[in-house]
Amino acid sequence: MTTMEVNMDIVPDSEAATQPQVSPVVSTAPNNSGLMVALHPLTLLNISDHFTRIKMQQQIQNPQVIGALVGIQTGRDVEISNSYELDFDTIDGKVQINHEYFITKQEQFRQVFPQFDFLGWYTMGPFPTEADIEIHKQMIEFNESPLFLQMNPFEMVTSKNLPITVYESIIDIIDGQAHTLFIKSQYKIETGEAERIAVDHVAHTTLGEGGEGSSLIAHLTTQRNAIQMLHTRIKLLHQYLDLTNSEKMPVDHDILRQIAGLCNRMPTIDSADFKQEFLTEYNDVLLTTYLATITKGTNSINELVDKFNIANSTNRPGGRGRHQQHQGFPNF
Amino acid sequence: MDSDIARKTFEFSNNIVTVDPTQDLIYRYDTEEQSQVNQEKPWTKDVHYFTKVKISAVALIKMVMHARSGGSIEVMGLMQGKIDGNTMIIMDAFALPVEGTETRVNAQAEAYEYMVQYLTTIRQVGRLENIVGWYHSHPGYGCWLSGIDVNTQMTNQQYQDPFVAVVIDPNRTVSAGKVEIGAFRTYPAGYKTPDDGPSEYQTIPLSKIEDFGVHCKQYYQLEISHFKSTLDTHLLELLWHKYWVNTLSQSSLITNRDYSAEQIADLVEKLDQAETQLQQSGRVSSFPGGMGGSRGNVASSQTVGGSSAGGATATAPPPEKKRVEESPLSKVTKDSTKITVEAAHGLISQVLKNVLFNKPQPIVEQNKTEVEILPDA
């Protein structure tokens, strides 16, 4: 199990994928376009929702779903933030995207999110096929180099990695003819703070209601989980180093360089300025806590005095003529 | 969340299906069933008919992100879904191109064209549900319905029932680290709620508290729960492998500086107000069954307190009412505790990161506790 972990994790998201790539439309040339794709979890959940919905409505095993990806592209950085469904008709076995629908939908999206552009399209499936190339060509009308995202719903349960592949398209000359081929792209998951909280909330809430005792516990649990992930990763690296040291595994200098780089970055920030800022912030929070505690204390005393008041004053209407209410009064 | 164990348990106890017919049944939209329910209209007979709301994962995330993207401007959108007994199920949400929805009653009117167009187009791709509600954001001032919202919702419930109003506070969500959301339905005009039970206390800024108080009895809150599809569950589990980094790296103290400063300023105002209230008003103390929230100020009023307290409290308090009205001071205390707790959480994250990344101690020295490490800095 441990050696398997080493193999699978140390070769992340690169061309040497674990499953054999037999698709004729995917080029095996290395991707050096430098395009960095950042995916938001919302996109993925949208796609999965689309798929589930269509599947439940049409009741077929493997429905075809096609949709568009939108987001922001600045230079070589692509950020895919959202997605929506596309309408298509199957004419003679070929898929035709409904242009009108697309234009209308794009317009609508612009009204609400004016900064998002059409960046690509998505579908479900294990690997790209000729049909996908055809659809891709139709997409080129709207964006010169659209991205193609493919999600494999069936692989999801068995694999530890996200069964999502992002492809770019390149024109390759094969046998004197220009073919459009797909080439895999690297991607990473990016979240905004609000998105992360929402996703976390949905991920860790059971179908019923998981009432937690205190917010502190919830907060610490999330932190602990994250740190646990970090710990697992570091253990893995440690294992790798052990194995290379005892020569059970071939040495890969690239990885060693990266590990060395990682170690050199510790301590992360150690300047006097940082310490100053950190302690200032620490003291601010402590001050807030102190003030809140004082407020609480004041409130308690206030309540106590009031209760004391009541206890003493109700003696009076008893008609016993005791003018003692001033007696026990502590004058503050 | 040990995903390895979770995955193995999942594989052990279920067949590996991408779409589980039982769990994902909720995604099936039965047009006939829905139109039948719409004709029967069981909610017209009972004002309190709908008690629960189920929100899908996608809808929730979309709403939260839309609310956050509006910044400090209120944004709104509509929700699509269906009815199931006395639960309203929300499958999806979409944004409307209107802003600043707290300034006019029917902001929706501006977006009618968009709405109609959206509905026609979305039906083409298989989303057949009707509009069952609207959502909007209250950036920084909590989840409740303002006077304008109440009016809007009453109109909605009159003409478009079944309809639910959802409010999201994106600022509080980020600062507290959990989603701040509430679902409400209004009572028809003139309806008196029989049960005057105390609702859960909320921190509301001074500028809005009057608006809140005036209308808070005109609507009731529904219970919110969430659901997601099997595919979503898988995806989320795998996503966790990627975004755990963000959990550690994002610092709530820094992202929320403005918001926390605002909160503290508001708290100061409330304290001032509480103090003046205590100084001016009578020495009537509040206790179960009594009225008002003013109490003797600790310093000044004690001497005068004894004499008048007796007279004012001569009326026997009705024994069965358990309504405890809180004094302004205890409300302020609650607010300050909340602010502090959130700030403390943020600080905990910072300290954790500091220990993790700034103090590469050799393993031998691990006997030092974390608390002791800090003064060394």
Side-chain angles (χ1 to χ4, degrees), chain A residues 48-49 101 108 112 153 191 193 196 202 219 225 269 303 306 316, chain B residues 1 18 27 114 118 121 126-127 228 232 246 250 295 307 345 358:
Chain A
S48 120
D49 178 68
Y101 179 86
Q108 288 202 318
V112 194
T191 64
E193 178 75 10
R196 179 183 73 74
V202 174
H219 185 250
N225 286 338
I269 309 178
E303 284 183 16
D306 286 334
R316 208 154 63 106
Chain B
M1 190 166 113
T18 50
Y27 283 86
Y114 181 91
Y118 184 89
T121 39
R127 189 171 283 290
K228 46 191 191 277
D232 285 343
N246 289 37
Q250 271 160 349
R295 299 185 180 170
S307 41
H345 285 338
N358 274 356

PDB file of all heavy atoms in Angstrom, chain A residues 48-49 101 108 112 153 191 193 196 202 219 225 269 303 306 316, chain B residues 1 18 27 114 118 121 126-127 228 232 246 250 295 307 345 358:
ATOM      1  N   SER A  48     -21.633  18.123 -12.424  1.00  0.00           N
ATOM      2  CA  SER A  48     -22.168  16.890 -11.845  1.00  0.00           C
ATOM      3  C   SER A  48     -23.677  16.987 -11.664  1.00  0.00           C
ATOM      4  O   SER A  48     -24.412  16.022 -11.885  1.00  0.00           O
ATOM      5  CB  SER A  48     -21.450  16.604 -10.521  1.00  0.00           C
ATOM      6  OG  SER A  48     -22.345  16.573  -9.463  1.00  0.00           O
ATOM      7  N   ASP A  49     -24.149  18.179 -11.280  1.00  0.00           N
ATOM      8  CA  ASP A  49     -25.587  18.388 -11.115  1.00  0.00           C
ATOM      9  C   ASP A  49     -26.299  18.205 -12.446  1.00  0.00           C
ATOM     10  O   ASP A  49     -27.329  17.552 -12.545  1.00  0.00           O
ATOM     11  CB  ASP A  49     -25.810  19.806 -10.584  1.00  0.00           C
ATOM     12  CG  ASP A  49     -27.269  20.120 -10.424  1.00  0.00           C
ATOM     13  OD1 ASP A  49     -27.920  19.515  -9.548  1.00  0.00           O
ATOM     14  OD2 ASP A  49     -27.776  20.958 -11.177  1.00  0.00           O
ATOM     15  N   TYR A 101     -29.425  29.232 -29.052  1.00  0.00           N
ATOM     16  CA  TYR A 101     -29.468  29.048 -27.605  1.00  0.00           C
ATOM     17  C   TYR A 101     -28.200  29.565 -26.967  1.00  0.00           C
ATOM     18  O   TYR A 101     -28.208  30.249 -25.948  1.00  0.00           O
ATOM     19  CB  TYR A 101     -29.650  27.565 -27.281  1.00  0.00           C
ATOM     20  CG  TYR A 101     -29.683  27.310 -25.804  1.00  0.00           C
ATOM     21  CD1 TYR A 101     -30.862  27.410 -25.096  1.00  0.00           C
ATOM     22  CD2 TYR A 101     -28.519  27.009 -25.099  1.00  0.00           C
ATOM     23  CE1 TYR A 101     -30.896  27.206 -23.746  1.00  0.00           C
ATOM     24  CE2 TYR A 101     -28.547  26.817 -23.743  1.00  0.00           C
ATOM     25  CZ  TYR A 101     -29.739  26.910 -23.071  1.00  0.00           C
ATOM     26  OH  TYR A 101     -29.772  26.724 -21.722  1.00  0.00           O
ATOM     27  N   GLN A 108     -27.290  36.516 -21.559  1.00  0.00           N
ATOM     28  CA  GLN A 108     -27.862  36.537 -20.213  1.00  0.00           C
ATOM     29  C   GLN A 108     -26.775  36.509 -19.157  1.00  0.00           C
ATOM     30  O   GLN A 108     -26.817  37.244 -18.176  1.00  0.00           O
ATOM     31  CB  GLN A 108     -28.762  35.325 -20.020  1.00  0.00           C
ATOM     32  CG  GLN A 108     -30.041  35.423 -20.781  1.00  0.00           C
ATOM     33  CD  GLN A 108     -31.082  34.535 -20.174  1.00  0.00           C
ATOM     34  OE1 GLN A 108     -30.796  33.417 -19.789  1.00  0.00           O
ATOM     35  NE2 GLN A 108     -32.279  35.036 -20.084  1.00  0.00           N
ATOM     36  N   VAL A 112     -25.460  39.416 -15.905  1.00  0.00           N
ATOM     37  CA  VAL A 112     -25.265  39.242 -14.476  1.00  0.00           C
ATOM     38  C   VAL A 112     -23.791  39.199 -14.089  1.00  0.00           C
ATOM     39  O   VAL A 112     -23.388  39.701 -13.062  1.00  0.00           O
ATOM     40  CB  VAL A 112     -25.944  37.941 -13.997  1.00  0.00           C
ATOM     41  CG1 VAL A 112     -26.040  37.944 -12.509  1.00  0.00           C
ATOM     42  CG2 VAL A 112     -27.300  37.790 -14.620  1.00  0.00           C
ATOM     43  N   PRO A 153     -17.476  10.094 -14.918  1.00  0.00           N
ATOM     44  CA  PRO A 153     -18.228   9.787 -13.710  1.00  0.00           C
ATOM     45  C   PRO A 153     -17.981   8.390 -13.185  1.00  0.00           C
ATOM     46  O   PRO A 153     -18.137   8.135 -12.003  1.00  0.00           O
ATOM     47  CB  PRO A 153     -19.682   9.954 -14.151  1.00  0.00           C
ATOM     48  CG  PRO A 153     -19.654   9.757 -15.618  1.00  0.00           C
ATOM     49  CD  PRO A 153     -18.338  10.217 -16.098  1.00  0.00           C
ATOM     50  N   THR A 191     -10.030  28.249  -4.954  1.00  0.00           N
ATOM     51  CA  THR A 191     -11.297  28.691  -4.358  1.00  0.00           C
ATOM     52  C   THR A 191     -11.148  30.058  -3.750  1.00  0.00           C
ATOM     53  O   THR A 191     -10.103  30.427  -3.269  1.00  0.00           O
ATOM     54  CB  THR A 191     -11.750  27.766  -3.220  1.00  0.00           C
ATOM     55  OG1 THR A 191     -10.775  27.842  -2.181  1.00  0.00           O
ATOM     56  CG2 THR A 191     -11.909  26.350  -3.642  1.00  0.00           C
ATOM     57  N   GLU A 193     -12.551  32.563  -0.639  1.00  0.00           N
ATOM     58  CA  GLU A 193     -12.826  32.218   0.753  1.00  0.00           C
ATOM     59  C   GLU A 193     -14.277  31.783   0.952  1.00  0.00           C
ATOM     60  O   GLU A 193     -14.549  30.753   1.565  1.00  0.00           O
ATOM     61  CB  GLU A 193     -12.514  33.434   1.639  1.00  0.00           C
ATOM     62  CG  GLU A 193     -12.804  33.222   3.096  1.00  0.00           C
ATOM     63  CD  GLU A 193     -11.781  32.350   3.793  1.00  0.00           C
ATOM     64  OE1 GLU A 193     -10.736  32.065   3.188  1.00  0.00           O
ATOM     65  OE2 GLU A 193     -12.036  31.924   4.921  1.00  0.00           O
ATOM     66  N   ARG A 196     -14.942  28.401  -0.529  1.00  0.00           N
ATOM     67  CA  ARG A 196     -14.374  27.312   0.254  1.00  0.00           C
ATOM     68  C   ARG A 196     -15.277  26.975   1.425  1.00  0.00           C
ATOM     69  O   ARG A 196     -15.536  25.808   1.724  1.00  0.00           O
ATOM     70  CB  ARG A 196     -12.987  27.716   0.762  1.00  0.00           C
ATOM     71  CG  ARG A 196     -12.340  26.666   1.598  1.00  0.00           C
ATOM     72  CD  ARG A 196     -11.020  27.135   2.141  1.00  0.00           C
ATOM     73  NE  ARG A 196     -11.162  28.113   3.190  1.00  0.00           N
ATOM     74  CZ  ARG A 196     -11.561  27.828   4.425  1.00  0.00           C
ATOM     75  NH1 ARG A 196     -11.846  26.610   4.745  1.00  0.00           N
ATOM     76  NH2 ARG A 196     -11.651  28.793   5.311  1.00  0.00           N
ATOM     77  N   VAL A 202     -21.146  22.159   2.675  1.00  0.00           N
ATOM     78  CA  VAL A 202     -21.947  21.153   2.002  1.00  0.00           C
ATOM     79  C   VAL A 202     -21.288  19.785   2.098  1.00  0.00           C
ATOM     80  O   VAL A 202     -21.945  18.763   2.237  1.00  0.00           O
ATOM     81  CB  VAL A 202     -22.124  21.552   0.522  1.00  0.00           C
ATOM     82  CG1 VAL A 202     -22.817  20.472  -0.223  1.00  0.00           C
ATOM     83  CG2 VAL A 202     -22.899  22.832   0.423  1.00  0.00           C
ATOM     84  N   HIS A 219     -14.252  24.808  14.068  1.00  0.00           N
ATOM     85  CA  HIS A 219     -13.114  25.494  13.485  1.00  0.00           C
ATOM     86  C   HIS A 219     -11.847  24.674  13.639  1.00  0.00           C
ATOM     87  O   HIS A 219     -11.083  24.471  12.693  1.00  0.00           O
ATOM     88  CB  HIS A 219     -12.968  26.856  14.190  1.00  0.00           C
ATOM     89  CG  HIS A 219     -11.910  27.707  13.588  1.00  0.00           C
ATOM     90  ND1 HIS A 219     -10.726  28.001  14.221  1.00  0.00           N
ATOM     91  CD2 HIS A 219     -11.831  28.316  12.387  1.00  0.00           C
ATOM     92  CE1 HIS A 219      -9.985  28.773  13.449  1.00  0.00           C
ATOM     93  NE2 HIS A 219     -10.637  28.976  12.334  1.00  0.00           N
ATOM     94  N   ASN A 225      -8.022  18.820  10.108  1.00  0.00           N
ATOM     95  CA  ASN A 225      -8.078  18.020   8.886  1.00  0.00           C
ATOM     96  C   ASN A 225      -7.047  18.489   7.874  1.00  0.00           C
ATOM     97  O   ASN A 225      -6.355  17.686   7.250  1.00  0.00           O
ATOM     98  CB  ASN A 225      -9.478  18.113   8.270  1.00  0.00           C
ATOM     99  CG  ASN A 225     -10.480  17.302   9.056  1.00  0.00           C
ATOM    100  OD1 ASN A 225     -10.106  16.392   9.774  1.00  0.00           O
ATOM    101  ND2 ASN A 225     -11.744  17.646   8.934  1.00  0.00           N
ATOM    102  N   ILE A 269       8.796  32.939   7.205  1.00  0.00           N
ATOM    103  CA  ILE A 269       9.125  34.361   7.379  1.00  0.00           C
ATOM    104  C   ILE A 269       9.701  34.486   8.760  1.00  0.00           C
ATOM    105  O   ILE A 269       9.079  34.105   9.738  1.00  0.00           O
ATOM    106  CB  ILE A 269       7.856  35.246   7.344  1.00  0.00           C
ATOM    107  CG1 ILE A 269       7.014  34.946   6.124  1.00  0.00           C
ATOM    108  CG2 ILE A 269       8.244  36.687   7.363  1.00  0.00           C
ATOM    109  CD1 ILE A 269       5.753  35.764   6.098  1.00  0.00           C
ATOM    110  N   GLU A 303     -26.576  42.593  36.726  1.00  0.00           N
ATOM    111  CA  GLU A 303     -27.678  41.686  37.000  1.00  0.00           C
ATOM    112  C   GLU A 303     -27.751  41.339  38.481  1.00  0.00           C
ATOM    113  O   GLU A 303     -28.823  41.288  39.081  1.00  0.00           O
ATOM    114  CB  GLU A 303     -27.508  40.409  36.179  1.00  0.00           C
ATOM    115  CG  GLU A 303     -27.859  40.591  34.723  1.00  0.00           C
ATOM    116  CD  GLU A 303     -27.761  39.289  33.960  1.00  0.00           C
ATOM    117  OE1 GLU A 303     -27.713  38.227  34.615  1.00  0.00           O
ATOM    118  OE2 GLU A 303     -27.716  39.347  32.731  1.00  0.00           O
ATOM    119  N   ASP A 306     -29.262  44.117  40.366  1.00  0.00           N
ATOM    120  CA  ASP A 306     -30.700  44.180  40.138  1.00  0.00           C
ATOM    121  C   ASP A 306     -31.442  43.135  40.932  1.00  0.00           C
ATOM    122  O   ASP A 306     -32.485  43.404  41.540  1.00  0.00           O
ATOM    123  CB  ASP A 306     -30.987  43.990  38.646  1.00  0.00           C
ATOM    124  CG  ASP A 306     -30.618  45.216  37.856  1.00  0.00           C
ATOM    125  OD1 ASP A 306     -30.619  46.318  38.453  1.00  0.00           O
ATOM    126  OD2 ASP A 306     -30.323  45.076  36.660  1.00  0.00           O
ATOM    127  N   ARG A 316     -40.673  45.067  51.092  1.00  0.00           N
ATOM    128  CA  ARG A 316     -41.421  46.222  51.578  1.00  0.00           C
ATOM    129  C   ARG A 316     -42.938  46.097  51.487  1.00  0.00           C
ATOM    130  O   ARG A 316     -43.622  46.329  52.462  1.00  0.00           O
ATOM    131  CB  ARG A 316     -40.952  47.472  50.861  1.00  0.00           C
ATOM    132  CG  ARG A 316     -41.137  48.708  51.712  1.00  0.00           C
ATOM    133  CD  ARG A 316     -40.183  49.776  51.338  1.00  0.00           C
ATOM    134  NE  ARG A 316     -40.416  50.217  49.972  1.00  0.00           N
ATOM    135  CZ  ARG A 316     -40.994  51.370  49.655  1.00  0.00           C
ATOM    136  NH1 ARG A 316     -41.412  52.174  50.581  1.00  0.00           N
ATOM    137  NH2 ARG A 316     -41.146  51.705  48.407  1.00  0.00           N
TER     138      ARG A 316
ATOM    139  N   MET B   1     -11.138  14.134   8.061  1.00  0.00           N
ATOM    140  CA  MET B   1     -11.878  13.224   7.195  1.00  0.00           C
ATOM    141  C   MET B   1     -10.891  12.329   6.470  1.00  0.00           C
ATOM    142  O   MET B   1     -10.262  12.726   5.522  1.00  0.00           O
ATOM    143  CB  MET B   1     -12.669  14.093   6.199  1.00  0.00           C
ATOM    144  CG  MET B   1     -13.645  13.312   5.402  1.00  0.00           C
ATOM    145  SD  MET B   1     -14.777  14.427   4.598  1.00  0.00           S
ATOM    146  CE  MET B   1     -14.340  14.197   2.913  1.00  0.00           C
ATOM    147  N   THR B  18     -22.861   5.554 -10.042  1.00  0.00           N
ATOM    148  CA  THR B  18     -22.615   6.986 -10.130  1.00  0.00           C
ATOM    149  C   THR B  18     -23.849   7.762  -9.751  1.00  0.00           C
ATOM    150  O   THR B  18     -23.773   8.869  -9.270  1.00  0.00           O
ATOM    151  CB  THR B  18     -22.212   7.375 -11.549  1.00  0.00           C
ATOM    152  OG1 THR B  18     -23.184   6.809 -12.419  1.00  0.00           O
ATOM    153  CG2 THR B  18     -20.854   6.850 -11.874  1.00  0.00           C
ATOM    154  N   TYR B  27     -33.657  14.468  -7.662  1.00  0.00           N
ATOM    155  CA  TYR B  27     -33.352  15.214  -8.864  1.00  0.00           C
ATOM    156  C   TYR B  27     -34.357  14.997  -9.973  1.00  0.00           C
ATOM    157  O   TYR B  27     -34.310  15.656 -10.998  1.00  0.00           O
ATOM    158  CB  TYR B  27     -31.948  14.842  -9.378  1.00  0.00           C
ATOM    159  CG  TYR B  27     -30.864  15.508  -8.569  1.00  0.00           C
ATOM    160  CD1 TYR B  27     -30.399  14.920  -7.398  1.00  0.00           C
ATOM    161  CD2 TYR B  27     -30.321  16.722  -8.948  1.00  0.00           C
ATOM    162  CE1 TYR B  27     -29.432  15.533  -6.640  1.00  0.00           C
ATOM    163  CE2 TYR B  27     -29.342  17.329  -8.198  1.00  0.00           C
ATOM    164  CZ  TYR B  27     -28.914  16.735  -7.037  1.00  0.00           C
ATOM    165  OH  TYR B  27     -27.950  17.336  -6.287  1.00  0.00           O
ATOM    166  N   TYR B 114     -35.470  39.604 -18.051  1.00  0.00           N
ATOM    167  CA  TYR B 114     -34.394  38.631 -17.894  1.00  0.00           C
ATOM    168  C   TYR B 114     -34.944  37.308 -17.405  1.00  0.00           C
ATOM    169  O   TYR B 114     -34.585  36.241 -17.902  1.00  0.00           O
ATOM    170  CB  TYR B 114     -33.374  39.182 -16.897  1.00  0.00           C
ATOM    171  CG  TYR B 114     -32.200  38.283 -16.656  1.00  0.00           C
ATOM    172  CD1 TYR B 114     -31.045  38.397 -17.419  1.00  0.00           C
ATOM    173  CD2 TYR B 114     -32.241  37.310 -15.666  1.00  0.00           C
ATOM    174  CE1 TYR B 114     -29.967  37.571 -17.201  1.00  0.00           C
ATOM    175  CE2 TYR B 114     -31.168  36.480 -15.453  1.00  0.00           C
ATOM    176  CZ  TYR B 114     -30.033  36.616 -16.216  1.00  0.00           C
ATOM    177  OH  TYR B 114     -28.966  35.786 -15.998  1.00  0.00           O
ATOM    178  N   TYR B 118     -34.800  33.807 -19.233  1.00  0.00           N
ATOM    179  CA  TYR B 118     -34.017  32.748 -18.602  1.00  0.00           C
ATOM    180  C   TYR B 118     -34.836  31.472 -18.476  1.00  0.00           C
ATOM    181  O   TYR B 118     -34.364  30.378 -18.776  1.00  0.00           O
ATOM    182  CB  TYR B 118     -33.553  33.209 -17.214  1.00  0.00           C
ATOM    183  CG  TYR B 118     -32.662  32.224 -16.527  1.00  0.00           C
ATOM    184  CD1 TYR B 118     -31.286  32.257 -16.698  1.00  0.00           C
ATOM    185  CD2 TYR B 118     -33.185  31.240 -15.701  1.00  0.00           C
ATOM    186  CE1 TYR B 118     -30.465  31.353 -16.074  1.00  0.00           C
ATOM    187  CE2 TYR B 118     -32.374  30.319 -15.077  1.00  0.00           C
ATOM    188  CZ  TYR B 118     -31.012  30.383 -15.261  1.00  0.00           C
ATOM    189  OH  TYR B 118     -30.201  29.486 -14.636  1.00  0.00           O
ATOM    190  N   THR B 121     -35.236  29.684 -21.809  1.00  0.00           N
ATOM    191  CA  THR B 121     -34.030  29.021 -22.297  1.00  0.00           C
ATOM    192  C   THR B 121     -33.668  27.825 -21.437  1.00  0.00           C
ATOM    193  O   THR B 121     -33.235  26.785 -21.952  1.00  0.00           O
ATOM    194  CB  THR B 121     -32.827  29.982 -22.319  1.00  0.00           C
ATOM    195  OG1 THR B 121     -32.895  30.791 -21.149  1.00  0.00           O
ATOM    196  CG2 THR B 121     -32.835  30.863 -23.533  1.00  0.00           C
ATOM    197  N   GLY B 126     -33.398  21.082 -19.995  1.00  0.00           N
ATOM    198  CA  GLY B 126     -33.790  20.058 -19.046  1.00  0.00           C
ATOM    199  C   GLY B 126     -33.950  20.491 -17.616  1.00  0.00           C
ATOM    200  O   GLY B 126     -34.052  19.657 -16.738  1.00  0.00           O
ATOM    201  N   ARG B 127     -33.966  21.774 -17.361  1.00  0.00           N
ATOM    202  CA  ARG B 127     -34.286  22.161 -15.999  1.00  0.00           C
ATOM    203  C   ARG B 127     -35.729  22.645 -15.999  1.00  0.00           C
ATOM    204  O   ARG B 127     -36.028  23.745 -16.422  1.00  0.00           O
ATOM    205  CB  ARG B 127     -33.366  23.275 -15.496  1.00  0.00           C
ATOM    206  CG  ARG B 127     -33.624  23.466 -14.024  1.00  0.00           C
ATOM    207  CD  ARG B 127     -32.650  24.365 -13.344  1.00  0.00           C
ATOM    208  NE  ARG B 127     -31.357  23.811 -13.048  1.00  0.00           N
ATOM    209  CZ  ARG B 127     -31.103  22.883 -12.134  1.00  0.00           C
ATOM    210  NH1 ARG B 127     -32.077  22.364 -11.455  1.00  0.00           N
ATOM    211  NH2 ARG B 127     -29.874  22.477 -11.920  1.00  0.00           N
ATOM    212  N   LYS B 228     -27.112  16.628  -1.502  1.00  0.00           N
ATOM    213  CA  LYS B 228     -26.267  16.608  -2.684  1.00  0.00           C
ATOM    214  C   LYS B 228     -26.372  15.242  -3.347  1.00  0.00           C
ATOM    215  O   LYS B 228     -26.754  14.265  -2.729  1.00  0.00           O
ATOM    216  CB  LYS B 228     -24.810  16.895  -2.302  1.00  0.00           C
ATOM    217  CG  LYS B 228     -24.323  16.114  -1.100  1.00  0.00           C
ATOM    218  CD  LYS B 228     -22.990  16.678  -0.657  1.00  0.00           C
ATOM    219  CE  LYS B 228     -22.330  15.786   0.364  1.00  0.00           C
ATOM    220  NZ  LYS B 228     -22.794  16.005   1.721  1.00  0.00           N
ATOM    221  N   ASP B 232     -21.905  14.366  -6.623  1.00  0.00           N
ATOM    222  CA  ASP B 232     -21.405  15.510  -5.869  1.00  0.00           C
ATOM    223  C   ASP B 232     -20.560  15.048  -4.694  1.00  0.00           C
ATOM    224  O   ASP B 232     -19.502  15.609  -4.412  1.00  0.00           O
ATOM    225  CB  ASP B 232     -22.577  16.345  -5.314  1.00  0.00           C
ATOM    226  CG  ASP B 232     -23.236  17.167  -6.388  1.00  0.00           C
ATOM    227  OD1 ASP B 232     -22.624  17.346  -7.455  1.00  0.00           O
ATOM    228  OD2 ASP B 232     -24.365  17.628  -6.151  1.00  0.00           O
ATOM    229  N   ASN B 246      -5.914  25.613   0.798  1.00  0.00           N
ATOM    230  CA  ASN B 246      -6.554  26.906   1.013  1.00  0.00           C
ATOM    231  C   ASN B 246      -7.062  27.050   2.429  1.00  0.00           C
ATOM    232  O   ASN B 246      -7.047  28.140   2.985  1.00  0.00           O
ATOM    233  CB  ASN B 246      -7.741  27.076   0.052  1.00  0.00           C
ATOM    234  CG  ASN B 246      -7.264  27.278  -1.359  1.00  0.00           C
ATOM    235  OD1 ASN B 246      -6.283  26.668  -1.756  1.00  0.00           O
ATOM    236  ND2 ASN B 246      -7.937  28.126  -2.094  1.00  0.00           N
ATOM    237  N   GLN B 250      -5.673  30.469   3.965  1.00  0.00           N
ATOM    238  CA  GLN B 250      -6.507  31.660   4.066  1.00  0.00           C
ATOM    239  C   GLN B 250      -6.617  32.125   5.498  1.00  0.00           C
ATOM    240  O   GLN B 250      -6.828  31.333   6.402  1.00  0.00           O
ATOM    241  CB  GLN B 250      -7.884  31.383   3.487  1.00  0.00           C
ATOM    242  CG  GLN B 250      -7.897  31.679   2.013  1.00  0.00           C
ATOM    243  CD  GLN B 250      -9.017  30.999   1.288  1.00  0.00           C
ATOM    244  OE1 GLN B 250      -9.673  30.134   1.844  1.00  0.00           O
ATOM    245  NE2 GLN B 250      -9.244  31.376   0.057  1.00  0.00           N
ATOM    246  N   ARG B 295     -32.420  48.934  33.529  1.00  0.00           N
ATOM    247  CA  ARG B 295     -32.119  48.565  34.913  1.00  0.00           C
ATOM    248  C   ARG B 295     -31.302  49.646  35.557  1.00  0.00           C
ATOM    249  O   ARG B 295     -30.771  50.514  34.904  1.00  0.00           O
ATOM    250  CB  ARG B 295     -31.290  47.294  34.916  1.00  0.00           C
ATOM    251  CG  ARG B 295     -32.024  46.156  34.297  1.00  0.00           C
ATOM    252  CD  ARG B 295     -31.192  44.941  34.466  1.00  0.00           C
ATOM    253  NE  ARG B 295     -31.879  43.800  33.873  1.00  0.00           N
ATOM    254  CZ  ARG B 295     -31.308  42.638  33.703  1.00  0.00           C
ATOM    255  NH1 ARG B 295     -30.071  42.469  34.075  1.00  0.00           N
ATOM    256  NH2 ARG B 295     -31.964  41.651  33.171  1.00  0.00           N
ATOM    257  N   SER B 307     -36.280  53.092  46.812  1.00  0.00           N
ATOM    258  CA  SER B 307     -37.607  53.643  47.078  1.00  0.00           C
ATOM    259  C   SER B 307     -38.584  53.423  45.948  1.00  0.00           C
ATOM    260  O   SER B 307     -39.707  52.991  46.159  1.00  0.00           O
ATOM    261  CB  SER B 307     -37.496  55.140  47.357  1.00  0.00           C
ATOM    262  OG  SER B 307     -36.565  55.703  46.464  1.00  0.00           O
ATOM    263  N   HIS B 345     -10.735  32.771  16.775  1.00  0.00           N
ATOM    264  CA  HIS B 345     -10.577  31.701  15.780  1.00  0.00           C
ATOM    265  C   HIS B 345      -9.530  32.069  14.761  1.00  0.00           C
ATOM    266  O   HIS B 345      -8.659  31.264  14.413  1.00  0.00           O
ATOM    267  CB  HIS B 345     -11.893  31.460  15.046  1.00  0.00           C
ATOM    268  CG  HIS B 345     -12.897  30.715  15.858  1.00  0.00           C
ATOM    269  ND1 HIS B 345     -12.559  29.933  16.917  1.00  0.00           N
ATOM    270  CD2 HIS B 345     -14.230  30.639  15.750  1.00  0.00           C
ATOM    271  CE1 HIS B 345     -13.654  29.408  17.432  1.00  0.00           C
ATOM    272  NE2 HIS B 345     -14.676  29.808  16.742  1.00  0.00           N
ATOM    273  N   ASN B 358       7.229  28.436  10.854  1.00  0.00           N
ATOM    274  CA  ASN B 358       8.313  29.337  11.229  1.00  0.00           C
ATOM    275  C   ASN B 358       9.240  28.776  12.275  1.00  0.00           C
ATOM    276  O   ASN B 358      10.209  29.401  12.631  1.00  0.00           O
ATOM    277  CB  ASN B 358       7.726  30.653  11.774  1.00  0.00           C
ATOM    278  CG  ASN B 358       7.438  31.601  10.646  1.00  0.00           C
ATOM    279  OD1 ASN B 358       7.737  31.300   9.519  1.00  0.00           O
ATOM    280  ND2 ASN B 358       6.859  32.736  10.978  1.00  0.00           N
TER     281      ASN B 358
END
